[in-house]
Amino acid sequence: MSIYSFEGVIPVIHPSAYVHPSAVIIGDVIIGENVYIGPQASLRGDYGRLIINAGSNIQDCCIMHGYCGIDTIIHEGGHIGHGAILHGCIIGRDVLVGMNSVIMDGAVIGEESIVAAMSFVKAGFIGEPRQMLIGSPASYRRDVTGQELHWKRLNTKEYQDLAQRCVAGLQEAIPLTELEPQRPRLNGTTDVKPTA
């Protein structure tokens, strides 16, 4: 794990959190209970404080950063998709930020909202709860449905479980040179059907 103090400020990582060894955590970063931080994520607390609250996940290649005197916050159950960038913003409780989205300085995403993949939320945007935000610049399209929120919560729970699975079962390995007979599948799955 690449964990660095910065000007005497040391990151805080709850013992139940999982931080992938390739992630970089610098300075004033606070990672809460049962949080998952994925491969190649970069959390730079070298200007403002970064706070990732309980049960949240920051997936592969995400970037989190902010400016002096500003806390960048992901509230409980935040779900940050692959490649997203959060800069000086506040992500409300139970929010999903879609893959490759960008949330800019001073933006506030209301609780239980969804930011669609590849959306750009402008600096200073102030959202309301349960908004579906889409586009570049992102705008309110409709309310998040109960079914969408249920799906989001199930997916966030999978990442909470993944944090514990990684603690227990992720190990550095030397790759095999050929496929072994009766190759196991993850989670004991035996009945696999093609998706297309």
Side-chain angles (χ1 to χ4, degrees), residues 72-92:
T72 304
I73 303 169
I74 301 173
H75 284 284
E76 292 79 5
H79 190 99
I80 313 303
H82 313 289
I85 299 173
L86 308 180
H87 203 279
C89 58
I90 296 175
I91 305 300

Side-chain angles (χ1 to χ4, degrees), residues 14 18 29 36 39-40 56 83 101 115 126 129 133 146 160 170 195:
H14 191 278
Y18 175 77
V29 178
Y36 173 89
Q40 304 294 317
S56 295
S101 291
V115 178
I126 305 296
L133 302 170
Q160 291 166 353
L170 184 72
T195 58

Side-chain angles (χ1 to χ4, degrees), residues 3-67:
I3 309 291
Y4 301 94
S5 68
F6 185 73
E7 296 179 346
V9 180
I10 302 171
V12 177
I13 302 174
H14 191 278
S16 66
Y18 175 77
V19 178
H20 190 275
S22 68
V24 179
I25 314 295
I26 299 171
D28 197 1
V29 178
I30 301 167
I31 298 175
E33 182 178 358
N34 205 25
V35 166
Y36 173 89
I37 308 293
Q40 304 294 317
S42 175
L43 283 63
R44 281 181 46 216
D46 50 13
Y47 283 101
R49 177 171 291 172
L50 311 182
I51 302 169
I52 302 92
N53 283 294
S56 295
N57 65 78
I58 299 179
Q59 298 170 22
D60 320 48
C61 302
C62 289
I63 297 170
M64 193 171 175
H65 191 237
Y67 284 125

